[in-house]
Amino acid sequence: MSVLRRVAWYWLLPVAVAAWELVTRAAQATYFPPPSQIVARLRELWFSGPPSRAFLTDEAVADLVPSLSRLFTGWSIACAAGVLLGVVLGRSSWLSGLVEPLVHFGRSVPPAALLPVFLVLFKVGTPMQLASIVYGVVWPVLINSMDGARHVDRQYIETGAVYRLSRWHRLTRIILPAAAPKIFAGLRLSVSLALIMMVISELVGSSEGIGHRMLEAQSQFDIPAMWAGIVLLGLLGIGLNAAFLGVERAVLGWHTSARTGDA
């Protein structure tokens, strides 16, 4: 599988970009500019600044910093709340039975459909955007944490009881490590959802951010700038996913080793 991924990155991706360049130049479609034009506009907008500022332009500081700060803040709040509530619900069968129908109803409501509600509650600005991100992100974390905490091997719990571990030690040394693979599965899903909700929230009444810049480019018929925003979001998604995978491997290295040993 790793060989196939390397082939895709080093061979298939450049071929696809080259084909895109040739086809769009031949078609001369207004709404589908060639990649070379998109990359040039991307550099002009965000990465043509001075070296002392890591080549970031004023637009990059005005757009990227607010967007990323909202993304990480909303994601952190959602993950903390999701893990905490998920573990509590997963370890309490009666509480889970009481609340789980509400959880499944909440996750079934599209987050974008609640943007008018968040606008009424929080008005236009960062609180509304954070609320949108938190609501869109919390569900996979919550549900995976519930599932992980619920299915901890009973022998582990009984062993902790035999050694008379306190509730805190049982939580930190037995329940959380056993549920960690499921929790991290939910966290990984939440990263891409946080990026999506960041953009959606910035398309509604925002005066800054990547989503606002894309909406502004659309209103000005600056098609290369609009595509530059799409490409930038794709690169951010790849970078965030790669960073999270690195953290996941570091934290769950014991789990991978255990599965390899069992195999």
Side-chain angles (χ1 to χ4, degrees), residues 16-259:
V17 172
W20 181 5
E21 180 81 21
L22 293 174
V23 170
T24 50
R25 284 192 177 277
Q28 294 185 347
T30 303
Y31 297 103
F32 294 94
S36 57
Q37 191 176 350
I38 295 171
V39 171
R41 193 74 175 102
L42 175 68
R43 180 182 176 278
E44 179 186 355
L45 275 175
W46 289 302
F47 301 106
S48 58
S52 59
R53 205 163 57 182
F55 299 100
L56 296 176
T57 62
D58 293 336
E59 289 82 2
V61 175
D63 293 333
L64 297 181
V65 173
S67 289
L68 292 177
S69 64
R70 283 190 287 261
L71 185 149
F72 286 118
T73 302
W75 181 76
S76 300
I77 294 172
C79 290
V83 171
L84 178 62
L85 292 174
V87 171
V88 170
L89 293 175
R91 297 309 302 168
S92 175
S93 57
W94 71 270
L95 188 59
S96 175
L98 185 66
V99 176
E100 198 163 350
L102 295 176
V103 171
H104 290 296
F105 175 80
R107 72 160 181 161
S108 300
V109 177
L114 291 178
L115 283 178
V117 177
F118 294 143
L119 278 170
V120 171
L121 293 175
F122 302 104
K123 309 301 180 185
V124 174
T126 299
M128 183 276 291
Q129 293 159 345
L130 287 177
S132 303
I133 294 171
V134 170
Y135 184 86
V137 168
V138 71
W139 304 111
V141 181
L142 173 59
I143 291 171
N144 277 273
S145 299
M146 283 176 59
D147 192 48
R150 180 179 294 158
H151 294 100
V152 177
D153 194 328
R154 191 171 184 83
Q155 291 184 351
Y156 297 159
I157 304 297
E158 292 174 351
T159 301
V162 168
Y163 283 97
R164 297 182 180 179
L165 296 180
S166 65
R167 288 187 176 182
W168 174 253
H169 284 128
R170 273 183 286 177
L171 174 65
T172 56
R173 297 184 182 182
I174 297 176
I175 296 172
L176 286 179
K182 279 282 188 179
I183 292 174
F184 270 85
L187 294 176
R188 185 178 178 185
L189 286 173
S190 69
V191 173
S192 58
L193 288 175
L195 190 62
I196 293 169
M197 291 309 303
M198 178 200 77
V199 177
I200 292 176
S201 66
E202 289 176 349
L203 292 175
V204 182
S206 178
S207 60
E208 60 187 7
I210 301 172
H212 168 72
R213 183 66 61 182
M214 292 173 62
L215 192 63
E216 191 177 68
Q218 180 193 13
S219 64
Q220 296 173 354
F221 295 97
D222 189 351
I223 306 303
M226 189 175 69
W227 277 94
I230 295 171
V231 171
L232 179 62
L233 289 172
L235 294 175
L236 279 175
I238 292 173
L240 291 173
N241 186 64
F244 185 83
L245 283 176
V247 173
E248 185 179 14
R249 290 192 190 101
V251 175
L252 296 183
W254 60 270
H255 178 68
T256 307
S257 302
R259 285 193 304 175

